[in-house]
Amino acid sequence: MSFSEFSLIKQYFDRGHVKRKDVKLGIGDDCALLEIPQGQQLAVTVDTMVENVHFLATVSAKDLAWKSIAVNLSDLAAIGAEPTWLTLALTLPETRSEWLNEFSSSFFEYADHYGLQLIGGDTCRGPLSITIQAMGFVPIDSGLKRSGANPGDLIFVTGSLGDAGLGLEIASGQCDIECCDDQRFLLERFNRPTPRVAVGIALRRLATSAIDLSDGLAGDLQHILTASGVGAEIDLDKLPLSTALLAQCDFDSAMGFAVASGDDYELCFTVAEDNLEQLGQVMKGTGCDYGIIGRITGSGGLTYTHNNQIYDKTFSGYRHFQADATNDDETNG
Ligand code: ADP
Ligand code: MG
């Protein structure tokens, strides 16, 4: 490592406020040394974000730091782990102090909020990419897997679906929204997803399966169905949609975003019907909205209904502009 990399790490990344007791050796040596409490298992996940592949070149350093951590915490949430430690591998095209200042201050603001300690990483030169590894604890044998869904289980999602899909269209300049509040909300949902950490923890030993929605409900729920060897029926009228998404889309395009577009980082999980009351009790403590969207079936793949009829249109994420609804020239909407 060159002196400049060493001073860069010292200046921007060896400055976290969280000092956890289970970190016996943190940044600065060849490895970190960590202690896992008795009775706990270590949950580990890693995600790479590459410019122009996973994020737009126009994204702010602050939003990028936030989202890079959030997508990893979302994976920990999906398995029911309590986040503890992070590593950060950063590839930078150049050393821009303003960018590094914003990135690292947002990084630690967010990490501090979750009591996470940055315990090491790697720094090198090249096209901008950010790899974060997040670790956490889950009591032995109580991690939530994709493989436990049973026929008859109810299917739930947290929060609202599709906002990030429309947020991406706004952020990439593919559509323009007149309502500033809606625009702000949708961009925030895209740039700063909320990982459902408390929900994951609350669902331990209660949910029969869980997954976080990074690639869209259709694809991600299919992972549960494949791993569990079951099918599912989704009632599209029950999908939770934000007022912003509803204000900007007609039904078919709202469904396109909600079912087929990614980046929402909500949780999708299944619970046996007998445990509905217990679910209500534990979810109350999380303060997170959630709702039933369907049911696990014995077979039959993944089917959708709308107004109690089979819905077999293809889901596509494009949007019907409200203003265009009255425009006779509208051809593709
Ligand atoms: P090595 O050459 O042994 O791999 P490095 O020179 O890459 O070590 O890093 C020196 C120390 O700084 C290590 O403890 C490493 O974990 C830490 N580190 C390097 N880059 C980062 C970073 N971006 N964020 C946090 N810690 C980092
Ligand atoms: Mg190294």
Side-chain angles (χ1 to χ4, degrees), residues 271-284:
V271 173
E273 193 163 11
D274 287 351
N275 291 330
L276 209 50
E277 203 182 309
Q278 198 190 341
L279 177 68
Q281 281 165 8
V282 300
M283 286 299 289
K284 226 182 263 169

Side-chain angles (χ1 to χ4, degrees), residues 99 138 163 234 257 278 293 305 321 325:
W99 190 93
V138 63
D163 302 325
I234 298 297
F257 286 118
Q278 198 190 341
I293 61 163
T305 60
F321 290 91

Side-chain angles (χ1 to χ4, degrees), residues 1 5 30 121-123:
M1 175 169 67
E5 275 167 42
D30 291 312
D122 198 23
T123 308

Side-chain angles (χ1 to χ4, degrees), residues 284-323:
K284 226 182 263 169
T286 70
C288 181
D289 289 335
Y290 70 106
I292 299 177
I293 61 163
R295 193 182 278 276
I296 296 292
T297 56
S299 58
L302 179 51
T303 58
Y304 301 93
T305 60
H306 169 43
N307 290 334
N308 297 318
Q309 312 263 322
I310 295 289
Y311 182 94
D312 53 12
K313 293 187 194 170
T314 321
F315 294 102
S316 66
Y318 75 78
R319 191 177 75 104
H320 292 236
F321 290 91
Q322 292 252 299

Side-chain angles (χ1 to χ4, degrees), residues 26 38 60 87 93 105 113 135 137 152 160 168 182-183 188 190 205 243 270 279 301 325:
Q38 260 206 340
S60 74
T87 64
S105 59
H113 174 76
M135 287 150 278
F137 300 147
S160 57
L168 168 62
D182 286 352
Q183 170 146 336
E188 182 92 356
F190 172 63
R205 296 181 185 279
T243 45
T270 56
L279 177 68

Side-chain angles (χ1 to χ4, degrees), residues 250 318-333:
D250 69 6
Y318 75 78
R319 191 177 75 104
H320 292 236
F321 290 91
Q322 292 252 299
D324 289 347
T326 52
N327 182 346
D328 292 341
D329 295 336
E330 169 81 10
T331 52
N332 73 343

Side-chain angles (χ1 to χ4, degrees), residues 14-30:
D14 193 6
R15 57 175 248 202
H17 297 298
V18 174
K19 303 277 180 236
R20 296 180 57 98
K21 286 205 179 81
D22 46 29
V23 178
K24 299 301 167 189
L25 190 59
I27 292 177
D29 216 307
D30 291 312

